[in-house]
PDB file of all heavy atoms in Angstrom:
ATOM      1  N   GLU A  63     151.809 132.257  30.606  1.00 98.00           N
ATOM      2  CA  GLU A  63     150.413 132.671  30.812  1.00 98.00           C
ATOM      3  C   GLU A  63     150.321 133.716  31.920  1.00 98.00           C
ATOM      4  O   GLU A  63     149.597 134.710  31.803  1.00 98.00           O
ATOM      5  CB  GLU A  63     149.544 131.461  31.170  1.00 98.00           C
ATOM      6  CG  GLU A  63     149.371 130.432  30.072  1.00 98.00           C
ATOM      7  CD  GLU A  63     148.362 130.834  29.023  1.00 98.00           C
ATOM      8  OE1 GLU A  63     147.894 131.987  29.023  1.00 98.00           O
ATOM      9  OE2 GLU A  63     148.039 129.964  28.180  1.00 98.00           O
ATOM     10  N   VAL A  64     151.054 133.495  33.017  1.00 98.00           N
ATOM     11  CA  VAL A  64     151.025 134.449  34.127  1.00 98.00           C
ATOM     12  C   VAL A  64     151.607 135.791  33.689  1.00 98.00           C
ATOM     13  O   VAL A  64     151.049 136.858  33.984  1.00 98.00           O
ATOM     14  CB  VAL A  64     151.805 133.908  35.341  1.00 98.00           C
ATOM     15  CG1 VAL A  64     151.845 134.949  36.451  1.00 98.00           C
ATOM     16  CG2 VAL A  64     151.165 132.620  35.854  1.00 98.00           C
ATOM     17  N   ILE A  65     152.718 135.759  32.995  1.00 98.00           N
ATOM     18  CA  ILE A  65     153.378 136.991  32.567  1.00 98.00           C
ATOM     19  C   ILE A  65     152.455 137.840  31.702  1.00 98.00           C
ATOM     20  O   ILE A  65     152.311 139.049  31.930  1.00 98.00           O
ATOM     21  CB  ILE A  65     154.686 136.686  31.826  1.00 98.00           C
ATOM     22  CG1 ILE A  65     155.691 136.013  32.762  1.00 98.00           C
ATOM     23  CG2 ILE A  65     155.296 137.971  31.263  1.00 98.00           C
ATOM     24  CD1 ILE A  65     156.887 135.404  32.048  1.00 98.00           C
ATOM     25  N   ILE A  66     151.818 137.227  30.717  1.00 98.00           N
ATOM     26  CA  ILE A  66     150.975 138.035  29.828  1.00 98.00           C
ATOM     27  C   ILE A  66     149.732 138.555  30.557  1.00 98.00           C
ATOM     28  O   ILE A  66     149.223 139.629  30.212  1.00 98.00           O
ATOM     29  CB  ILE A  66     150.603 137.288  28.536  1.00 98.00           C
ATOM     30  CG1 ILE A  66     149.761 136.045  28.805  1.00 98.00           C
ATOM     31  CG2 ILE A  66     151.854 136.948  27.740  1.00 98.00           C
ATOM     32  CD1 ILE A  66     149.236 135.381  27.538  1.00 98.00           C
ATOM     33  N   SER A  67     149.280 137.830  31.572  1.00 98.00           N
ATOM     34  CA  SER A  67     148.165 138.359  32.365  1.00 98.00           C
ATOM     35  C   SER A  67     148.615 139.547  33.205  1.00 98.00           C
ATOM     36  O   SER A  67     147.885 140.538  33.351  1.00 98.00           O
ATOM     37  CB  SER A  67     147.569 137.269  33.248  1.00 98.00           C
ATOM     38  OG  SER A  67     148.438 136.902  34.300  1.00 98.00           O
ATOM     39  N   LYS A  68     149.820 139.480  33.762  1.00 98.00           N
ATOM     40  CA  LYS A  68     150.337 140.567  34.596  1.00 98.00           C
ATOM     41  C   LYS A  68     150.722 141.800  33.780  1.00 98.00           C
ATOM     42  O   LYS A  68     150.828 142.897  34.332  1.00 98.00           O
ATOM     43  CB  LYS A  68     151.537 140.077  35.404  1.00 98.00           C
ATOM     44  CG  LYS A  68     151.183 139.056  36.488  1.00 98.00           C
ATOM     45  CD  LYS A  68     150.263 139.640  37.535  1.00 98.00           C
ATOM     46  CE  LYS A  68     149.988 138.652  38.664  1.00 98.00           C
ATOM     47  NZ  LYS A  68     149.075 139.233  39.691  1.00 98.00           N
ATOM     48  N   LEU A  69     150.931 141.630  32.492  1.00 98.00           N
ATOM     49  CA  LEU A  69     151.204 142.788  31.635  1.00 98.00           C
ATOM     50  C   LEU A  69     149.983 143.694  31.512  1.00 98.00           C
ATOM     51  O   LEU A  69     150.087 144.818  31.015  1.00 98.00           O
ATOM     52  CB  LEU A  69     151.649 142.335  30.247  1.00 98.00           C
ATOM     53  CG  LEU A  69     153.119 141.916  30.125  1.00 98.00           C
ATOM     54  CD1 LEU A  69     153.352 141.196  28.806  1.00 98.00           C
ATOM     55  CD2 LEU A  69     154.050 143.118  30.252  1.00 98.00           C
ATOM     56  N   LYS A  70     148.831 143.225  31.982  1.00 97.00           N
ATOM     57  CA  LYS A  70     147.622 144.044  31.987  1.00 97.00           C
ATOM     58  C   LYS A  70     147.185 144.407  33.402  1.00 97.00           C
ATOM     59  O   LYS A  70     146.066 144.845  33.619  1.00 97.00           O
ATOM     60  CB  LYS A  70     146.494 143.307  31.267  1.00 97.00           C
ATOM     61  CG  LYS A  70     146.732 143.147  29.774  1.00 97.00           C
ATOM     62  CD  LYS A  70     145.511 142.603  29.058  1.00 97.00           C
ATOM     63  CE  LYS A  70     144.375 143.612  29.057  1.00 97.00           C
ATOM     64  NZ  LYS A  70     143.203 143.140  28.287  1.00 97.00           N
ATOM     65  N   ASP A  71     148.090 144.268  34.364  1.00 97.00           N
ATOM     66  CA  ASP A  71     147.794 144.620  35.757  1.00 97.00           C
ATOM     67  C   ASP A  71     148.609 145.850  36.145  1.00 97.00           C
ATOM     68  O   ASP A  71     149.775 145.756  36.508  1.00 97.00           O
ATOM     69  CB  ASP A  71     148.137 143.441  36.672  1.00 97.00           C
ATOM     70  CG  ASP A  71     147.836 143.738  38.136  1.00 97.00           C
ATOM     71  OD1 ASP A  71     147.331 144.839  38.447  1.00 97.00           O
ATOM     72  OD2 ASP A  71     148.119 142.861  38.975  1.00 97.00           O
ATOM     73  N   ASN A  72     147.977 147.002  36.046  1.00 97.00           N
ATOM     74  CA  ASN A  72     148.691 148.260  36.320  1.00 97.00           C
ATOM     75  C   ASN A  72     148.748 148.595  37.809  1.00 97.00           C
ATOM     76  O   ASN A  72     149.247 149.657  38.185  1.00 97.00           O
ATOM     77  CB  ASN A  72     148.027 149.419  35.572  1.00 97.00           C
ATOM     78  CG  ASN A  72     146.653 149.759  36.131  1.00 97.00           C
ATOM     79  OD1 ASN A  72     145.864 148.858  36.395  1.00 97.00           O
ATOM     80  ND2 ASN A  72     146.362 151.053  36.297  1.00 97.00           N
ATOM     81  N   THR A  73     148.255 147.696  38.661  1.00 96.00           N
ATOM     82  CA  THR A  73     148.232 147.967  40.101  1.00 96.00           C
ATOM     83  C   THR A  73     149.462 147.421  40.828  1.00 96.00           C
ATOM     84  O   THR A  73     149.604 147.619  42.032  1.00 96.00           O
ATOM     85  CB  THR A  73     146.972 147.343  40.735  1.00 96.00           C
ATOM     86  OG1 THR A  73     147.043 145.908  40.646  1.00 96.00           O
ATOM     87  CG2 THR A  73     145.712 147.834  40.027  1.00 96.00           C
ATOM     88  N   GLN A  74     150.328 146.724  40.119  1.00 95.00           N
ATOM     89  CA  GLN A  74     151.483 146.102  40.760  1.00 95.00           C
ATOM     90  C   GLN A  74     152.474 147.146  41.288  1.00 95.00           C
ATOM     91  O   GLN A  74     152.740 148.154  40.634  1.00 95.00           O
ATOM     92  CB  GLN A  74     152.226 145.211  39.762  1.00 95.00           C
ATOM     93  CG  GLN A  74     151.397 144.102  39.166  1.00 95.00           C
ATOM     94  CD  GLN A  74     152.111 143.444  37.997  1.00 95.00           C
ATOM     95  OE1 GLN A  74     152.893 142.524  38.203  1.00 95.00           O
ATOM     96  NE2 GLN A  74     151.845 143.906  36.798  1.00 95.00           N
TER      97      GLN A  74
END
Side-chain angles (χ1 to χ4, degrees):
E63 293 282 9
V64 176
I65 296 167
I66 63 173
S67 70
K68 291 297 184 180
L69 280 167
K70 292 189 68 176
D71 181 2
N72 69 315
T73 66
Q74 301 169 87

